[in-house]
Amino acid sequence: MAELVTDLLASLNPEQRDAVEHFEGPLLVLAGAGSGKTRVLTTRIAHLIHEFGVDPGSILAVTFTNKAAGEMRHRVRSLLGREPAGMWIGTFHSIGARLLRRHAHLVGWSPSFTIYDADASLAGIRRTMERLGISEKRWHPKSVRAAISDAKNLLVDPSTYEEMAHDVFSRTVAKVYTPYQASLREQNAFDFDDLLVKPVELLRAHDQLLASYRRRFQFVLVDEYQDTNHAQDAFVELLAREHGNLMVVGDDDQSIYGWRGADVSNILEFDHRFPGTRLIRLEQNYRSSRRILEAANAVIAENVRRKGKTLRTESDDGERLTLVETADERDEADWITSEIELRLSHDPELAPREFVLLYRTNAQSRELERALVERGLPYRIVGGTRFYERREIMDVLAYLRLISNPLDAQAFDRIVNYPRRGIGDVAQQRLRDWATDQGLSLLDAARRGRQIPAMTGAAGAALERFAASIDGFRARAAEQEAGQLLEQLVADVGILVALAEEGPEAEDRVENVRELVAGAYQFDDRLPELRELEDLPADASPLDLFLQEISLITDIDRHDPAANAVTLMTLHTAKGLEFPIVFIAGLEDGLFPLARAYDEPEALEEERRLFYVGITRAEQKVYLTHARARRRMGERIDCIPSSFLEPIPHQLLERRQTTQLERQSRAFDWWDGRRPTRRRSVRRETDPVASSEDGFLVDYSDSQDPPRLVKGERVRHPAFGPGTIRELSGFGTDLKAVIEFDQVGRKKVKVRYANLQKEY
């Protein structure tokens, strides 16, 4: 093993080796795209253990996806020639869940808690709003949930949020926040944000516990640090501030999750918050050709708020980037798929898996899917309907959740009459009312079904049988493995029989349930090793741990690079992946970057970072496509090329037009769906999107560009008077605003017709 580590050190470039050999004290590694950061992280862990004799149990390594955590453990194991037993490697959420399983009683929960995903959390918000009489039409539950999520990630508790609420929307959120959190406690459940927040609360409230974990984790390493939010950063600082042996690895140029709470200032200001920080830049790229990197460097150099670095490579020049102008989204999709087909036919060594189609919004996938289907090209979408979000899977998991956690009211509601057992809506409402009056959980109340006033004898008996069945499986769960328990549950409850009666989709649904059972058995096979290596709580049942694992699976964990199919995904989902050939579609102002980004400098910089991420996914070739027109919400919108294309040097680009656009251009330069309009040429020689032959572009000065509005801005309507913008949706001529008017309350207006004036 010593020879293996020594050989690996010798293979590192100077900057990588500096990062690996760093021992004590804070270390900030700015790792450019494709610079081998995972190699540096894992080699450093092996070096700490082998060279400095650090106990693996003293190391905590945190990353953002289960896939990355698994890869990290595998590489460390290979370097050491043995398991790094006792070392904690995982995502922030999985490590938070592990801490809470061990110490849930200290925050008022039990170790068998349920983890609510986004859908379950949203359902809880809806129920809370319904109980409070808050209208969903006026206050959308998703907006309320997003506000509560933001508050949690900023470590703002319900009482503090209530004190800070100074407008109508935030005061409404404050009314929901407290009872929503109370409902989670009543159901012994945490939402995803709680997995980040509660560990911080736990450590802050219990000094001895914090001291014990600080003593244990003498070396803390954090991957993708640019994506941390306030709660995650606070958790890391709590553990590492005292000893200072904190290594953070990230790329400020790839910080793209500000919309969900990530704070790029965490990495930008790290060296100020941790005096004595050693800063190392990894700028040698091992993924992309030189032209791709030069384009990426030119794009990201436009950003102001960054530490600054320049990617370099020893690879050859490679192909130029191809910039393609298309007529509309259908033409765009047809051209992309025809190009894939052409490349596959010309190069027999190419396979569909080597192509990825990236887009800014999920809605763009529709036309791309249509074109792929028509050409018979295999494809898979990452970020579509997840396996665990399928209705039949959620039904089965609800059974498992209620068996694991009898206080889970959402799970109870979902399955109490599935498959049908004669407990209708009226009976369920009587059960809920009586349970509330008696201060009982729904399952406790069901155990006394025939005691409930006005409950029919048949429904009461059915409730008692249902409760007895859950209790029976709960007793088995303490002794049985997850696979055996799940197989018996599916058979005893009659789920497969119920699904088989549903018609054309029955077979697929039945197979999905069987796949879930198979997955549970696979988990059981891995569980002994997981308990030993990951230091899992000994008293947690296989069922509890199985539910925890699947609740933390993300879209990116489901990406299978071996699947021989073209991959479709959003640019956000693509982060951390790489492909030989990359298409980035929809490069038009208003779509990428999104229109609202122009109102906030930081938002525009984040959109540009997203484009940089897209370019740097490519190893060999990048295609950039934009359309002259695109349908949005059923209306055809004239488009102009994205401003993000402008910094790319001319010599790096090959410009092309689709055949359809060339045909149109022979007579006309524009087609608006009703009548052609003659070309009105405007000389713009400095524009990199202009044709190098004639330097001419269409004049878009009469396009319907929406007024630049921003959420929270004050405006005046000619009829409704002054008000505050609460929500913005849509694009272009379909842009809509929800405005809280001072005199007439909340209204939803279409901006193009509203004649809004900004109040300065």
Side-chain angles (χ1 to χ4, degrees), residues 419-458:
R420 295 188 180 279
R421 50 176 61 90
I423 307 171
D425 293 343
V426 174
Q428 291 178 49
Q429 188 58 53
R430 287 171 178 166
L431 170 72
R432 282 191 287 269
D433 292 342
W434 190 71
T436 300
D437 291 342
Q438 299 297 312
L440 299 172
S441 71
L442 293 177
L443 189 60
D444 279 336
R447 294 188 182 104
R448 311 176 194 180
R450 282 176 287 193
Q451 299 177 28
I452 300 174
M455 184 73 70
T456 65

Side-chain angles (χ1 to χ4, degrees), residues 53-124:
V54 175
D55 180 357
S58 297
I59 298 174
L60 170 66
V62 192
T63 186
F64 271 78
T65 69
N66 297 303
K67 183 177 181 180
E71 174 68 13
M72 196 180 295
R73 179 176 288 279
H74 172 74
R75 291 199 191 187
V76 172
R77 181 194 305 127
S78 298
L79 287 171
L80 293 176
R82 58 185 172 86
E83 291 289 351
M87 180 171 64
W88 282 25
I89 300 180
T91 66
F92 277 101
H93 289 93
S94 66
I95 286 172
R98 188 184 304 184
L99 279 173
L100 292 172
R101 292 280 180 211
R102 290 167 169 267
H103 310 292
H105 64 285
L106 295 177
V107 290
W109 273 252
S110 80
S112 62
F113 57 79
T114 298
I115 300 172
Y116 280 174
D117 61 14
D119 288 336
S121 172
L122 183 60

Side-chain angles (χ1 to χ4, degrees), residues 78-261:
S78 298
L79 287 171
L80 293 176
R82 58 185 172 86
E83 291 289 351
M87 180 171 64
W88 282 25
I89 300 180
T91 66
F92 277 101
H93 289 93
S94 66
I95 286 172
R98 188 184 304 184
L99 279 173
L100 292 172
R101 292 280 180 211
R102 290 167 169 267
H103 310 292
H105 64 285
L106 295 177
V107 290
W109 273 252
S110 80
S112 62
F113 57 79
T114 298
I115 300 172
Y116 280 174
D117 61 14
D119 288 336
S121 172
L122 183 60
I125 295 289
R126 279 200 165 99
R127 280 202 305 274
T128 303
M129 291 175 64
E130 184 179 353
R131 288 200 303 270
L132 295 172
I134 297 174
S135 170
E136 288 192 24
K137 292 183 178 179
R138 186 175 185 190
W139 309 106
H140 199 291
K142 285 187 177 180
S143 298
V144 175
R145 187 193 67 182
I148 291 175
S149 177
D150 289 345
K152 287 187 176 186
N153 288 326
L154 289 170
L155 299 177
V156 176
D157 60 29
S159 60
T160 304
Y161 189 91
E162 188 173 3
E163 293 173 2
M164 297 167 56
H166 296 305
D167 59 61
V168 178
F169 176 67
S170 59
R171 286 196 292 269
T172 302
V173 172
K175 292 177 183 177
V176 177
Y177 191 177
T178 298
Y180 165 69
Q181 199 63 25
S183 73
L184 290 176
R185 171 65 188 87
E186 291 166 2
Q187 297 177 78
N188 193 34
F190 292 116
D191 63 21
F192 248 51
D193 296 313
D194 286 329
L195 298 181
L196 306 178
V197 173
K198 292 300 179 182
V200 174
E201 293 180 2
L202 177 72
L203 295 177
R204 284 178 172 175
H206 300 277
D207 292 341
Q208 291 185 347
L209 187 67
L210 173 59
S212 70
Y213 278 108
R214 280 177 171 170
R215 286 193 301 271
R216 171 166 183 175
F217 296 125
Q218 289 293 306
F219 290 86
V220 179
L221 302 91
V222 184
D223 191 13
E224 304 288 1
Y225 187 65
Q226 77 281 349
D227 293 332
T228 54
N229 61 31
H230 180 65
Q232 291 162 331
D233 187 62
F235 176 73
V236 170
E237 186 162 348
L238 277 168
L239 292 176
R241 168 62 71 181
E242 190 172 85
H243 55 64
N245 297 327
L246 172 61
M247 174 191 189
V248 299
V249 182
D251 184 1
D252 51 324
D253 291 333
Q254 295 187 71
S255 179
I256 59 173
Y257 296 113
W259 51 276
R260 69 182 189 194

Side-chain angles (χ1 to χ4, degrees), residues 224-349:
E224 304 288 1
Y225 187 65
Q226 77 281 349
D227 293 332
T228 54
N229 61 31
H230 180 65
Q232 291 162 331
D233 187 62
F235 176 73
V236 170
E237 186 162 348
L238 277 168
L239 292 176
R241 168 62 71 181
E242 190 172 85
H243 55 64
N245 297 327
L246 172 61
M247 174 191 189
V248 299
V249 182
D251 184 1
D252 51 324
D253 291 333
Q254 295 187 71
S255 179
I256 59 173
Y257 296 113
W259 51 276
R260 69 182 189 194
D263 187 352
V264 69
S265 66
N266 288 344
I267 192 168
L268 292 176
E269 299 172 6
F270 180 84
D271 47 353
H272 299 295
R273 294 188 293 120
F274 286 83
T277 291
R278 186 176 182 191
L279 171 61
I280 296 175
R281 288 178 170 85
L282 303 183
E283 297 173 304
Q284 180 75 36
N285 178 279
Y286 296 94
R287 175 188 300 157
S288 306
S289 65
R290 184 185 61 80
R291 283 190 170 114
I292 291 173
L293 293 183
E294 286 184 359
N297 286 332
V299 166
I300 202 62
E302 297 292 302
N303 274 8
V304 174
R305 199 166 179 233
R306 59 191 295 255
K307 287 282 191 181
K309 62 183 174 306
T310 302
L311 296 180
R312 63 182 188 274
T313 183
E314 296 177 0
S315 298
D316 57 22
D317 289 351
E319 296 184 50
R320 287 186 294 170
L321 289 75
T322 298
L323 177 61
V324 185
E325 184 181 21
T326 70
D328 54 28
E329 69 271 20
R330 186 178 185 87
D331 186 34
E332 177 184 57
D334 288 338
W335 187 90
I336 288 172
T337 51
S338 68
E339 182 71 7
I340 293 173
E341 201 170 50
L342 188 64
R343 293 198 73 130
L344 288 171
S345 65
H346 286 178
D347 187 350
E349 295 186 3

